[in-house]
Amino acid sequence: MNKKHLIWAFGAMLLTATACGGSKNQKADATLQEIISVTVPQFNSDSAYQYVKMQVDFGPRVPNSKEHVDCGNYLASQLENFGAQVTNQYADLIAYNGTLLKARNIIGSYQPENKKRIALFAHWDSRPWADNDPNEKNHYTPILGANDGASGVGVLLEIARQIQQQQPNLGIDLIFLDAEDYGTHQKHTGNFSEEAWCLGAQYWARNPHVQGYNARFGILLDMVGGHNPSFYREYHSERYAKDVNRKVWDAAHKLGYGNYFIDEARGGATDDHLFINRIAGIKTIDIIPHNPEGDWEFDPNWHTVKDDMDNINPQTLQVVGQTVLEVIYNEK
Ligand code: AHN
Ligand code: ZN
């Protein structure tokens, strides 16, 4: 018997119980609730950790580098292995300093024919410069971006593995965005504009991988693998997609992750979701750490050479991954 048949069977039981009345009714009602409540898969942080490490092992994934090309191929083939329909979106994008970036957004789609969809995003490139490093000597060294980039993609790859084993009710698009982190160097003397960031997201938002693409909502994962992060409801997410923030923070609290997902609205991040909201009009939130104390912003090792595997905590990947699974498997 599949799940639908089970629901009918128990529905019939419930009717019978109603006819008899009283405590039997309550019992049947409880059983019915149990049957119709969905089973959410268990996120495996060991595999997510491995997917983060695989990316970091390529070295910095800076656009126009061999490491970037190799990692892009790895990500596309992983999505294929997990049964997704893969779209590679190649684009020539111009960075703030005039550099032409050979960019590649990589999209893995499940149930592509399903009109009901959820979009999950993370950026897969890493920053060309550790311009926030305490040591000035490192300010032009590319970063490994274990947390800043690889963590979100690692969580999404584990979600892909889970989807292959058990499909949720909606179609899912896993969207690995490129050229997020080629934004203006801190030492730059010219203009600082937010459009210098998130070039892959801006491209995708103008040219989605499917014509007329839409999704019920989107979730962006950025720096979701650090040690003891606090995720506040981010400002732009709250502005564009308040109900999605609500849904995700409620799911996290239900799972007992209230010490990570702090239910307060805080500062904004100029991140991929901003352009997806603004340009594509898909209401999308950002799960990104914030430090209210203010001596650092997203992660103590943000844009430093210390954003390596030591900066990754599997428990954080677990908390975020399980929360996202809870949300997507409960959509009807
Ligand atoms: C700024 O707010 C400048 N950056 C946040 C977006 C980002 C950079 N995420 C990762 N690196
Ligand atoms: Zn960054």
Side-chain angles (χ1 to χ4, degrees), residues 123 127 148-149 180-181 197-198 222-223 268-272 286 288 297-298 302-303:
H123 78 89
R127 186 152 176 78
D148 190 357
E180 187 273 346
D181 236 344
W197 301 87
C198 312
D222 196 1
M223 297 181 257
T270 305
D271 212 344
D272 293 325
D286 193 5
I288 186 168
E297 194 166 11
F298 308 111
W302 184 65
H303 294 179

Side-chain angles (χ1 to χ4, degrees), residues 300-318:
N301 299 313
W302 184 65
H303 294 179
T304 75
V305 296
K306 281 173 74 183
D307 188 7
D308 55 18
M309 286 310 288
D310 292 341
N311 200 30
I312 297 297
N313 188 329
Q315 176 58 18
T316 308
L317 300 172
Q318 182 72 35

Side-chain angles (χ1 to χ4, degrees), residues 17 27 42 55 78 94 96 98 100 102 146 172 180 192 201 206 217 267 279 287 296 319 327-328:
K27 219 176 184 179
Q42 273 298 307
Q55 298 169 74
Q78 277 296 58
I94 312 291
Y96 78 94
L100 184 139
K102 292 288 185 186
I172 306 288
E180 187 273 346
F192 285 77
R206 292 193 175 91
F217 59 85
I279 302 169
I287 301 179
W296 47 268
V319 162
V327 168
I328 67 177

Side-chain angles (χ1 to χ4, degrees), residues 5 15 32 68 80-81 84 88 97 104 128 141 161 163 172 185-187 209 215 228 231 234-235 266 314 316 328:
H5 288 126
L15 282 174
L32 180 62
H68 180 264
E80 241 152 53
N81 290 342
N88 288 292
N97 60 4
R104 174 184 186 182
T141 305
R161 194 178 71 86
I163 294 174
I172 306 288
H185 194 286
Q186 284 187 22
K187 293 267 166 59
H209 61 291
N228 298 311
F231 302 112
E234 185 270 341
Y235 173 77
R266 288 287 167 94
T316 308
I328 67 177

